[in-house]
Amino acid sequence: MKKASGFEIIAARCWNLLNEGKPFTPIFTIGVYALYHMNAWGDGSFWLHFGLGLLAAFPLFALYFYYDFPLFLRNYLWLPVVAALVLWRDAHLELGLYATAIGLFLFFTIYFWGTFYYHLRIGTSWWNFKRFWKLVLKNSDSTSGNAQEQLPKFLLLLFVIDTAGPYLADGAAARGDFTWSSYVGFVVGVALYAYILHRNLFDWKPKEIEGYTVPVEKPEQASSGKVFVLVVDGMRKDRFEEANVPFLKKWRAEGTEYTQMETVYPARTVVCFSSMFTGTYPREHGITSNMVWKLGIKVESIFDSLRKVGKRGRLLGIAHLIDSMGDDVESVTAVMHNDKADRNIMERAKLIMAEQNPDLLVVQFIATDQTGHSMGALYDEYRQKIEEADALIAEFVTWLQEQGHAENATFIVCADHGQADGIGGHGHLDEGERFVPFFMYGPNVRGGVKVEAKHSLVSVAPTLSYLLGAPLPSHSRGPVLTEAFGKEKAEG
């Protein structure tokens, strides 16, 4: 299987500018306004109006970049739009501008992204738009495809640019009852409004663990085999329960299951992987979305810890993960038919074991997540990808056993996050995102155990340190998952 090329790595970063909601809002707003007035590009007064309008709108751009307005909070975004229309009710409304913006947004999300892009990248049908429009309208998470969040944002911003620019350039007569003092009051009011909403209503983030991980000594008699972390990206817990996955459910029954394993906030792939393998939260490791502005995590990872004791770990995953984990990532191209993706990843995992023989191998299976994004998480195609991952993992484990890599090995099976409805979005911990399947299996793992207490994926890194005899990563906060280890052994 091909590695992600340099072009693909750069393209993935560029795509995140359009995929992630925060950078998308200003890019789309500015782009739409410029395109709509294309005929006026040769007129110097247009650029003066445009520039002053952008300057006036800058505080709102900043507010919308800072505040997410996740889940139900997006409903409150329409109040500033209504307030602006009432406050400046005599202002000229360029209806064609707003119609163009809505049309381009729907074209970008439903056809360009949901059909053209996914067809070229993972082979979805040219008719995918017939389903994708529903996903865009339902999507509740932090992507540009969240129509209910993006529409009120860019409509207000376009109104301000189109109204404030001519006023500042030409005076009061240009835009009716719009005044500088009223606009300053409006911006201050929106800022207070956003602050109050987030202070009082944004209360569903997972509680962070205080203090750092307490070291746990591994018993001297415990074996030190390899560790494999098999991550089915975006596997929703309830859909896993519905799926026909005999191999994984057998392992779960014969190993230790954590029934309330919670992901981190925001539940985006690069964020979650960074937290899983550093043991800490985004505010410390520095990765706060899939759009990584400054490459590399700020703290030690489990891979750094392994190097301190002469051991090696590898993370097999898509190009996005290079932005946080750098050279510890064995990248795979994400440009392939989705029906072949996980099969090719498994074959690459075999190659890594044969050529490099790492002590820790993390494998990211991507087809389930990609199906959720492109086709929705509540359809049969999504469940089928979970079932395909089960068969591939069973095949991979058989190969590991035949090659002698599985002797005394410990396996961790989990998801990095779940999937919401809509575009299979994830980020703000909507229903289906927060809790993920998580269980361990191996000769040193207790059999038939269910741990009902709430745990967090930040416990993955310290648990790997425990299993592999490595020091804890520098900022590890999650406790070692000691409930999985004891005198009782898994069988089979």
Side-chain angles (χ1 to χ4, degrees):
M1 181 183 183
K2 293 192 303 181
K3 294 184 178 182
S5 65
F7 173 79
E8 183 180 342
I9 293 169
I10 298 299
R13 292 170 183 164
C14 292
W15 174 246
N16 274 333
L17 289 170
L18 297 177
N19 176 267
E20 292 289 315
K22 286 186 175 183
F24 171 82
T25 303
I27 291 172
F28 182 77
T29 302
I30 294 169
V32 165
Y33 194 85
L35 285 173
Y36 183 76
H37 293 95
M38 188 183 300
N39 292 336
W41 284 8
D43 184 353
S45 64
F46 163 73
W47 293 107
L48 177 62
H49 292 172
F50 190 17
L52 291 172
L54 287 175
L55 185 64
F58 179 78
L60 292 176
F61 278 117
L63 276 171
Y64 286 157
F65 194 88
Y66 184 77
Y67 289 112
D68 283 322
F69 289 89
L71 305 186
F72 71 89
L73 288 185
R74 63 188 177 171
N75 299 325
Y76 292 90
L77 283 165
W78 286 105
L79 189 57
V81 177
V82 173
L85 293 174
V86 171
L87 185 61
W88 302 302
R89 52 187 172 274
D90 291 337
H92 171 71
L93 290 177
E94 188 67 53
L95 297 180
L97 172 64
Y98 311 119
T100 300
I102 294 171
L104 286 174
F105 174 77
L106 295 177
F107 173 80
F108 168 75
T109 54
I110 295 171
Y111 188 79
F112 181 82
W113 177 5
T115 306
F116 181 75
Y117 167 80
Y118 277 131
H119 178 79
L120 293 183
R121 212 194 98 194
I122 63 174
T124 55
S125 165
W126 283 112
W127 297 97
N128 200 48
F129 63 87
K130 293 170 64 179
R131 178 185 298 180
F132 206 79
W133 71 269
K134 301 176 186 178
L135 309 183
V136 170
L137 295 181
K138 290 180 180 179
N139 183 22
S140 60
D141 277 309
S142 52
T143 69
S144 56
N146 184 340
Q148 295 181 58
E149 181 174 349
Q150 291 298 329
L151 282 170
K153 283 184 175 180
F154 69 68
L155 288 175
L156 176 61
L157 290 164
L158 286 170
F159 175 73
V160 168
I161 294 170
D162 197 47
T163 303
Y167 170 80
L168 293 174
D170 303 331
R175 281 298 185 262
D177 53 358
F178 183 91
T179 64
W180 182 247
S181 59
S182 66
Y183 180 63
V184 171
F186 175 78
V187 170
V188 171
V190 173
L192 287 172
Y193 177 68
Y195 173 78
I196 292 169
L197 284 176
H198 284 74
R199 179 75 180 228
N200 293 283
L201 299 181
F202 191 12
D203 57 359
W204 60 87
K205 287 184 182 180
K207 185 179 180 181
E208 292 189 3
I209 297 169
E210 296 181 3
Y212 294 113
T213 304
V214 176
V216 176
E217 277 197 37
K218 188 177 180 181
E220 291 184 9
Q221 69 274 18
S223 61
S224 298
K226 298 181 184 299
V227 179
F228 298 89
V229 183
L230 308 175
V231 184
V232 183
D233 195 315
M235 179 167 61
R236 183 168 162 148
K237 198 170 188 292
D238 57 351
R239 298 293 278 159
F240 172 73
E241 297 297 340
E242 296 169 8
N244 179 23
V245 285
F247 182 79
L248 291 180
K249 288 183 178 177
K250 178 177 182 292
W251 261 15
R252 182 178 67 173
E254 296 176 352
T256 297
E257 178 190 9
Y258 286 78
T259 63
Q260 292 196 76
M261 182 60 71
E262 192 172 37
T263 190
V264 296
Y265 185 93
R268 303 291 280 159
T269 293
V270 184
V271 179
C272 295
F273 270 77
S274 299
S275 287
M276 288 167 68
F277 299 110
T278 63
T280 191
Y281 301 96
R283 65 176 176 80
E284 282 193 315
H285 60 60
I287 307 299
T288 58
S289 77
N290 281 354
M291 182 67 245
V292 178
W293 299 101
K294 185 176 181 181
L295 300 182
I297 51 176
K298 297 178 180 178
V299 300
E300 287 182 351
S301 71
I302 183 60
F303 305 104
D304 297 314
S305 296
L306 289 173
R307 279 188 280 271
K308 293 179 181 179
V309 292
K311 293 185 177 181
R312 190 180 192 193
R314 303 301 290 156
L315 195 170
L316 176 60
I318 58 174
H320 289 324
L321 298 179
I322 295 174
D323 292 351
S324 63
M325 295 294 178
D327 293 338
D328 291 312
V329 176
E330 291 277 345
S331 67
V332 298
T333 179
V335 183
M336 72 184 101
H337 198 289
N338 204 36
D339 289 342
K340 300 178 181 178
D342 283 354
R343 160 66 62 180
N344 289 342
I345 287 170
M346 185 199 70
E347 295 300 333
R348 178 73 179 283
K350 291 180 182 178
L351 187 63
I352 292 171
M353 291 306 302
E355 294 182 348
Q356 302 181 36
N357 194 26
D359 301 281
L360 166 67
L361 179 64
V362 181
V363 183
Q364 177 196 22
F365 293 96
I366 64 174
T368 299
D369 182 71
Q370 292 189 153
T371 300
H373 283 294
S374 60
M375 306 185 79
L378 301 182
Y379 291 89
D380 289 342
E381 294 92 337
Y382 177 84
R383 174 182 50 77
Q384 289 165 6
K385 288 302 173 198
I386 298 174
E387 294 172 354
E388 290 172 17
D390 175 77
L392 288 170
I393 290 172
E395 182 181 334
F396 180 51
V397 170
T398 299
W399 181 87
L400 290 173
Q401 292 169 340
E402 292 171 351
Q403 300 299 314
H405 295 303
E407 184 177 356
N408 292 323
T410 300
F411 293 86
I412 299 175
V413 179
C414 64
D416 53 339
H417 54 74
Q419 293 271 14
D421 200 0
I423 304 177
H426 49 86
H428 291 316
L429 302 185
D430 201 351
E431 182 182 1
E433 296 180 46
R434 182 181 292 266
F435 295 102
V436 299
F438 189 100
F439 50 92
M440 287 188 267
Y441 177 87
N444 298 296
V445 176
R446 297 174 63 200
V449 175
K450 284 181 180 287
V451 179
E452 303 288 352
K454 185 184 290 186
H455 283 76
S456 169
L457 285 176
V458 296
S459 282
V460 171
T463 301
L464 294 175
S465 293
Y466 170 85
L467 288 168
L468 291 163
L472 293 164
S474 59
H475 288 68
S476 173
R477 291 182 177 274
V480 177
L481 299 175
T482 53
E483 302 94 338
F485 311 108
K487 294 181 180 180
E488 299 176 53
K489 310 296 182 189
E491 298 179 359

